[in-house]
């Protein structure tokens, strides 16, 4: 679904739709809408807000009538204390406005005293929050659909606001793309159709390479193929290249020490022979959210013509039980040559990533490599839905990621790695086993990945708790969050 477009214009009172009035704590309500609304209206607004004891905390909203104007209503949105009002607060306030405005077809924000970057951030938050995946709603009546179609920011510094919005558009589009992919059901988004959608990104200037099962066999992706072998939907490895620095052209441009992203792309995770319980299994269509985030960030780099070299690799498979599925106890030979005893076929993500990570490290010799994966239920137990788990063999990369997390609000919490955890995945029959039981489940999973990255600076983000939400969020409706796209775009911008 296309993201809501945000327009910017001079501060003139609109003749239709809602007027959004950002309100700061400790400031006179009667000043709201100054320069746009008449004094009598502003005094009525102040009286109404006082009567309902409105407190302008970030994202608090109050809806009021606007007699004497042609507006459908006024929406007062809290922005908290002006001194503490930064980018993230502005995005959240904008998100709250968009959520409250779903029933209006047009809205304009009285930018007033907000500096251009913060007003733009308000608009960006609104655009992100207004996302909706309604592709499969065929009987919804028009009056039931969210109507918000026109959203304008009114500002004296329209040019400056426009510039910030334009600079952020590729990332917003990347987020929407990731959400679209995650929202698609497993019968529609298979490894093959996911790869087909990636091929569409060539229009942005990305070089897209798709490797099918034959090529993967030639390259000895034994662990990834083991996961795929139970499914009627054959696996794909997608390689997205962006040569924005070296300027390489053609179908497979040479990249110079690129930034590398690797995504877990299990288009449906039934658990395989180690079948998951039926309750909630439908959610496992989201098990490709890592691959979706990588797709989103690569698309955003291309759309913004970023002056960097980057590569994104997507390990696309479906994990199904069948007569051809791999069994618990099977031993597979990974691309790296190391062998793995498959204790539990539901620990499939690490098997896929093992081959893709080792391939990525060897083939692209990246400056660093970050993988994103809905890898473990254990990270949800540890961190809930607030932070994604960060595991890394490189302190500088970890620090850069933590910083990008704070800057974007896609926050990370660093988790440990170490020898004592590593020995837990030793196997009696092979070089390692793919699970080590419940204790430290996210850590042993990361430890497993670490055995496939060699000396490459690497970080693993376990996004199982942050890629999907059961309830409406500040910047996304319930469902796919697109977590990782803004984080990685920021990481690249800060590292370039
Ligand atoms: N895709 C799941 C992880 C997951 C579980 C994400 C629940 C979100 C919610 C992964 O493939 C998986 O099944 N992991 C197992 C590993 C276990 C068998 C060692 C898990 O976490 O239960
Ligand atoms: Mn699984
Ligand atoms: Zn999985």
């Amino acid at each position: 679904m296309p993201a809501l477009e945000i327009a910017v214009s001079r501060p003139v009172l609109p003749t239709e739709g809602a007027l959004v009035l950002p309100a700061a704590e400790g400031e006179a309500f009667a000043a709201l809408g100054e320069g746009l609304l008449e004094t009598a209206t502003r005094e009525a607004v102040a009286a109404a807000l006082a009567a309902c004891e409105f407190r302008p905390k970030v994202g608090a909203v109050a809806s009021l009538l606007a007699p004497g104007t042609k507006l459908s209503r006024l929406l007062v949105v809290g922005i908290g204390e002006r001194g503490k009002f930064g980018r993230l607060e502005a995005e959240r306030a904008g998100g709250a406005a968009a959520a409250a405005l779903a029933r209006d077809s047009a809205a304009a924000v009285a930018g007033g005293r907000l500096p251009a970057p913060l007003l733009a951030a308000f608009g960006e938050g609104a655009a992100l929050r207004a996302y909706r995946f309604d592709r499969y709603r065929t009987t919804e009546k028009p009056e039931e659909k969210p109507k918000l179609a026109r959203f304008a920011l009114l500002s004296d510094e329209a040019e400056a606001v426009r510039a910030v919005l334009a600079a952020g558009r590729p990332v917003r589009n990347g987020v929407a793309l990731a959400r679209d992919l995650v929202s698609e059901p497993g019968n529609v988004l298979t490894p093959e159709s996911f790869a087909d959608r990636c091929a569409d990104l060539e229009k942005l200037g990305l070089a897209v390479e798709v490797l099918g099962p034959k090529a993967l066999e030639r390259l000895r992706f034994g662990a990834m193929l083991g996961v795929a072998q139970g499914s009627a939907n054959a696996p794909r490895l997608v390689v997205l290249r962006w040569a924005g620095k070296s300027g390489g052209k053609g179908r497979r441009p040479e990249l110079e020490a690129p930034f590398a992203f690797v995504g877990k792309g299990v288009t449906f995770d039934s658990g395989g022979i180690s079948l998951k319980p039926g309750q909630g299994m439908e959610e496992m269509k989201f098990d490709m959210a890592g691959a979706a985030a990588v797709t989103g960030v690569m698309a955003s780099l291309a759309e913004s013509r970023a002056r960097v070299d980057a590569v994104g690799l997507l390990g696309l498979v479906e994990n199904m039980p069948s007569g051809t599925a791999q069994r618990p106890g099977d031993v597979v030979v990974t691309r790296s040559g190391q062998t793995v005893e498959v204790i539990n076929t539901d620990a499939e993500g690490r098997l896929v990533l093992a081959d893709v990570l080792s391939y990525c490290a060897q083939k692209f010799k990246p400056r660093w490599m970050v993988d994103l994966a809905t890898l473990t239920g254990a990270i949800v137990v540890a961190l809930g839905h607030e932070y994604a788990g960060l595991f890394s063999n490189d302190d500088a990369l970890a620090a850069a990621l933590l910083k990008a997390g704070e800057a974007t609000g896609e926050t990370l919490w660093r988790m440990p790695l170490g020898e004592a955890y590593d020995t837990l995945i030793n196997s009696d029959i092979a070089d390692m086993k793919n699970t080590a039981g419940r204790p430290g489940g996210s850590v042993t999973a990361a430890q497993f990945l670490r055995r496939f990255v060699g000396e490459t600076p690497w970080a693993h983000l376990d996004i199982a708790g942050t890629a999907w939400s059961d309830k409406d969020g500040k910047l996304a409706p319930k469902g796919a969050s697109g977590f990782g796209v803004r984080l990685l775009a920021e990481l690249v911008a800060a590292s370039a």
Side-chain angles (χ1 to χ4, degrees):
M1 316 284 131
L4 176 70
E5 269 304 312
I6 311 292
V8 189
S9 55
R10 318 236 112 249
V12 175
L13 188 67
T15 52
E16 52 154 11
L19 181 67
V20 179
L21 301 169
E25 245 167 311
E27 293 178 15
F29 288 142
L32 294 176
E34 226 163 21
L36 289 172
L37 299 172
E38 311 212 348
T39 312
T41 311
R42 284 191 280 113
E43 278 166 2
V45 166
L49 290 173
C52 68
E53 298 183 19
F54 181 72
R55 283 240 10 230
K57 289 183 298 181
V58 177
V61 296
S63 179
L64 306 173
L65 293 174
T69 72
K70 292 184 177 154
L71 300 166
S72 57
R73 60 177 174 138
L74 300 171
L75 187 78
V76 182
V77 182
I79 65 167
E81 288 175 47
R82 215 173 272 274
K84 294 185 187 156
F85 188 68
R87 253 199 84 80
L88 298 183
E89 290 75 20
E91 286 177 358
R92 281 178 200 150
L101 287 167
R103 316 293 339 141
D104 304 80
S105 55
V109 182
R113 293 174 45 202
L114 290 183
L118 294 183
L119 182 59
F122 190 100
E124 298 199 270
L128 287 168
R129 182 60 183 79
Y131 173 87
R132 188 166 191 249
F133 187 79
D134 59 5
R135 194 169 186 182
Y136 301 110
R137 294 177 184 272
T138 67
T139 57
E140 197 175 46
K141 299 186 188 71
E143 65 269 24
E144 292 165 348
K145 286 196 187 290
K147 293 196 202 115
L148 192 59
R150 279 163 298 137
F151 194 87
L153 304 174
L154 308 181
S155 172
D156 287 323
E157 307 171 87
E159 266 323 305
V161 177
R162 251 180 232 129
V164 179
L165 282 173
R169 185 173 299 116
V171 177
R172 292 198 295 285
N173 288 343
V175 172
L177 172 61
R179 288 177 181 174
D180 282 351
L181 290 165
V182 173
S183 304
E184 287 289 2
N187 62 330
V188 173
L189 201 78
T190 60
E192 182 183 7
S193 68
F194 194 142
D196 288 345
R197 289 201 190 190
C198 289
D200 293 343
L201 300 176
E202 285 186 337
K203 65 174 188 287
L204 297 177
L206 282 177
V208 183
E209 181 188 8
V210 179
L211 292 87
K214 290 267 151 48
L216 293 172
E217 258 162 52
R218 240 184 349 262
L219 293 167
R220 299 181 184 278
F221 274 51
M224 177 165 162
L225 288 167
V227 175
Q229 78 189 33
S231 173
N233 293 308
R236 298 285 188 277
L237 173 69
V238 172
V239 182
L240 305 167
R241 289 176 176 83
W242 172 247
K245 182 155 163 245
S246 57
K249 294 268 176 291
R251 297 206 42 225
R252 283 179 214 175
E254 279 296 320
L255 303 176
E256 285 167 19
F259 301 122
F261 303 107
V262 171
K264 170 179 174 181
V266 176
T267 58
F268 185 71
D269 180 14
S270 71
I273 295 298
S274 312
L275 194 63
K276 286 183 181 296
Q279 180 78 38
M281 200 201 274
E282 72 283 354
E283 193 184 307
M284 282 302 139
K285 70 171 186 178
F286 95 132
D287 212 17
M288 33 54 71
V294 171
T295 309
V297 76
M298 290 301 298
S300 80
L301 293 177
E303 190 182 337
S304 63
R305 323 297 310 161
R307 296 187 159 281
V308 300
D309 276 16
V311 64
L313 290 88
L314 320 177
L316 307 176
V317 294
E318 186 179 48
N319 188 23
M320 294 292 263
S322 77
T324 63
Q326 73 178 344
R327 293 148 286 257
D330 282 4
V331 174
V332 295
V333 184
T334 64
R335 197 209 71 97
S336 72
Q338 301 177 89
T339 57
V340 178
E341 179 187 11
V342 179
I343 300 289
N344 188 319
T345 65
D346 196 12
E348 83 297 339
R350 65 199 75 181
L351 295 169
V352 174
L353 290 175
D355 282 342
V356 182
L357 284 168
S358 75
Y359 178 73
C360 179
Q362 208 173 42
K363 170 124 185 146
F364 294 100
K365 310 214 165 17
R367 213 161 112 182
W368 45 246
M369 166 164 94
V370 177
D371 79 71
L372 293 92
T374 48
L375 204 64
T376 66
I379 202 69
V380 190
V381 176
L383 301 176
H385 305 288
E386 311 307 321
Y387 292 82
L390 161 65
F391 301 82
S392 183
N393 63 0
D394 187 278
D395 288 343
L397 176 57
L401 274 160
L402 288 168
K403 198 168 167 210
E406 293 302 324
T408 56
E410 295 192 330
T411 48
L412 306 173
W413 196 266
R414 190 162 181 189
M415 303 284 285
L417 286 171
E419 181 76 37
Y421 292 112
D422 182 70
T423 53
L424 298 176
I425 55 170
N426 288 338
S427 158
D428 293 336
I429 182 175
D431 297 336
M432 70 196 90
K433 53 188 179 185
N434 77 331
T435 65
R438 287 167 60 86
S442 304
V443 188
T444 51
Q447 237 26 97
F448 184 96
L449 301 182
R450 191 185 190 168
R451 292 195 184 194
F452 296 89
V453 303
E455 297 304 311
T456 306
W458 152 83
H460 156 59
L461 308 182
D462 193 336
I463 60 170
T466 52
W468 186 270
S469 177
D470 297 337
K471 41 185 206 305
D472 286 344
K474 295 190 167 83
L475 296 178
K478 72 176 172 185
S481 65
F483 186 97
V485 176
R486 293 189 304 144
L487 173 79
L488 297 178
E490 171 66 25
L491 177 72
V492 169
S495 310

